[in-house]
């Protein structure tokens, strides 16, 4: 997101999901993303990377006030969103799942953490209904006028919210309120990161 918002070129390397060695060698644990710095130094933790990139080139972009109300909404809702999204990711055509062993690694790890994927998928309807109501709550927190008035200025709240909504975009049957959908599409365009609506399950 931060590279896209700042219009900076970067190279992306996608690891197989079962590749534990590479990230552990870099930062001591299996965690992504990782930013490769000069002299083969590495940085983990998403927000640390965001802050580093925002401060190293040109004027800072993350200068808008954080919206604590929205961040609290994320905290309260993200578990259910990921319970909807993760089983669908497992059956999607992502590059980190090019090998069957990588896909099975993901399935086994995540099922151990959140439960059986088939049960989660079968329980989707009630969770989707709940999410749609919560999206209406979020809709009232988002101002399209404020969004349109921005010129290369964002907030850490934007950085936190977009991945959550992008994760939810892989879930078929979501009814997106106007403000939320417009905000999400605007951020997708600004970041150069596609939503998953076209592959929703």
């Amino acid at each position: 997101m931060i590279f896209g918002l700042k219009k900076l070129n970067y190279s992306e390397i996608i690891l197989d999901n079962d590749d534990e060695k590479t990230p552990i060698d870099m930062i001591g644990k299996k965690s992504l993303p990782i930013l490769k710095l000069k002299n083969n130094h590495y940085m983990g933790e998403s927000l640390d990377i965001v802050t580093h990139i925002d401060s190293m080139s040109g004027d800072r972009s993350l200068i808008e006030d954080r919206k604590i109300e929205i961040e609290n909404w994320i905290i309260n809702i993200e578990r259910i969103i990921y319970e909807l999204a993760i089983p669908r990711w497992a059956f999607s055509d992502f590059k980190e799942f090019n090998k069957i062993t990588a896909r099975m690694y993901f399935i086994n790890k995540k099922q151990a953490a959140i439960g059986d994927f088939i049960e989660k998928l079968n329980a989707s309807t009630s969770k989707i209904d709940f999410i749609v109501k919560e999206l209406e709550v979020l809709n009232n927190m988002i101002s399209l006028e404020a969004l349109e008035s921005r010129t290369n200025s964002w907030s850490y709240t934007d950085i936190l919210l977009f991945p959550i909504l992008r994760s939810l975009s892989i879930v078929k049957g979501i009814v997106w309120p106007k403000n939320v959908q417009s905000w999400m599409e605007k951020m997708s365009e600004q970041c150069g990161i596609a939503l998953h609506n076209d592959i929703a399950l």
Side-chain angles (χ1 to χ4, degrees):
M1 285 185 70
I2 192 62
F3 284 104
L5 292 176
K6 295 182 75 68
K7 308 302 184 235
L8 297 174
N9 292 325
Y10 66 100
S11 297
E12 181 181 54
I13 297 173
I14 297 177
L15 302 180
D16 291 328
N17 195 260
D18 59 344
D19 183 350
E20 296 182 346
K21 183 178 186 306
T22 300
I24 289 174
D25 286 349
M26 290 177 175
I27 61 171
K29 61 181 178 179
K30 186 182 185 297
S31 177
L32 293 172
I34 298 171
L35 178 67
K36 182 178 180 181
L37 303 167
K38 294 179 180 179
N39 303 319
N40 286 327
H41 287 88
Y42 301 95
M43 176 182 291
E45 304 299 338
S46 298
L47 290 184
D48 290 346
I49 293 171
V50 167
T51 299
H52 178 77
I53 296 301
D54 191 35
S55 63
M56 71 179 290
S57 176
D59 295 333
R60 295 182 69 99
S61 296
L62 302 178
I63 58 175
E64 299 290 331
D65 292 338
R66 298 178 73 158
K67 306 294 188 295
I68 300 304
E69 185 180 29
I70 291 178
E71 294 188 23
N72 286 336
W73 182 90
I74 294 170
I75 292 169
N76 291 332
I77 205 72
E78 61 183 344
R79 180 185 62 81
I80 295 177
I81 288 178
Y82 285 127
E83 285 185 358
L84 286 167
I86 288 172
R88 289 165 169 84
W89 292 341
F91 301 109
S92 297
D93 187 22
F94 295 147
K95 292 179 181 178
E96 54 263 55
F97 298 148
N98 278 341
K99 298 189 312 182
I100 186 63
T101 54
R103 190 181 298 273
M104 291 310 302
Y105 176 96
F106 178 85
I107 290 172
N108 292 335
K109 285 282 187 178
K110 296 302 182 183
Q111 284 193 139
I114 71 170
D116 184 80
F117 282 178
I118 301 303
E119 291 180 3
K120 295 295 181 184
L121 291 169
N122 288 337
S124 290
T125 301
S126 61
K127 290 180 180 178
I128 290 173
D129 290 343
F130 175 78
I131 290 292
V132 168
K133 292 177 182 177
E134 288 298 315
L135 287 172
E136 291 290 351
V137 174
L138 176 64
N139 197 62
N140 293 328
M141 302 179 194
I142 293 176
S143 167
L144 292 185
E145 292 77 11
L147 178 63
E148 293 300 328
S149 68
R150 295 188 198 176
T151 305
N152 294 326
S153 63
W154 309 94
S155 76
Y156 278 94
T157 303
D158 297 317
I159 296 292
L160 295 170
L161 180 60
F162 180 71
I164 287 289
L165 297 182
R166 182 175 183 252
S167 297
L168 190 58
S169 72
I170 203 167
V171 182
K172 186 177 289 187
I174 298 294
V175 179
W176 297 97
K178 179 183 176 180
N179 291 2
V180 175
Q181 181 170 358
S182 296
W183 182 91
M184 187 168 59
E185 291 174 352
K186 174 80 169 179
M187 289 301 299
S188 174
E189 177 186 352
Q190 291 293 317
C191 297
I193 298 174
L195 299 169
H196 290 150
N197 297 324
D198 293 342
I199 59 170
L201 301 173

